[in-house]
Amino acid sequence: MKNLRITLGVAAIAIGSFAAFSFAPAKSNDQDTGIFYRNADGSMGDAYDPVLHPCKDSQLVCAQEYDTNTELPTGQGIVRGNKQ
């Protein structure tokens, strides 16, 4: 009887673990984004490289996060300054 309880307990834990992971939401990353320099017209420019061309000395938007599929800004990841 004790072996049966242990077996059923282990089975319940296994089923519970499987169920928890089966219905957990998967990470959905269907929006590819990246930080790019912003062109004067607001469009997406070259990829942001803070080592070669840092942004500094201004409150203007120098680089920001863009959706690479639509090439539109996401409104996040804003880097202020002027491209050097």
Side-chain angles (χ1 to χ4, degrees):
M1 188 69 168
K2 186 176 181 181
N3 287 341
L4 179 61
R5 275 189 268 172
I6 292 173
T7 303
L8 290 176
V10 170
I13 291 171
I15 291 170
S17 297
F18 176 75
F21 288 109
S22 295
F23 296 107
K27 181 180 177 187
S28 175
N29 192 10
D30 51 1
Q31 182 182 27
D32 296 325
T33 61
I35 304 287
F36 294 88
Y37 290 107
R38 180 178 170 176
N39 293 328
D41 63 357
S43 64
M44 185 173 83
D46 297 330
Y48 177 60
D49 186 350
V51 174
L52 293 178
H53 301 288
C55 296
K56 58 183 178 180
D57 300 332
S58 177
Q59 288 300 312
L60 299 174
V61 175
C62 176
Q64 67 186 62
E65 183 179 87
Y66 284 87
D67 180 328
T68 57
N69 295 323
T70 63
E71 296 189 2
L72 295 174
T74 65
Q76 297 177 318
I78 295 174
V79 179
R80 299 201 180 273
N82 285 321
K83 183 178 176 183
Q84 304 296 310

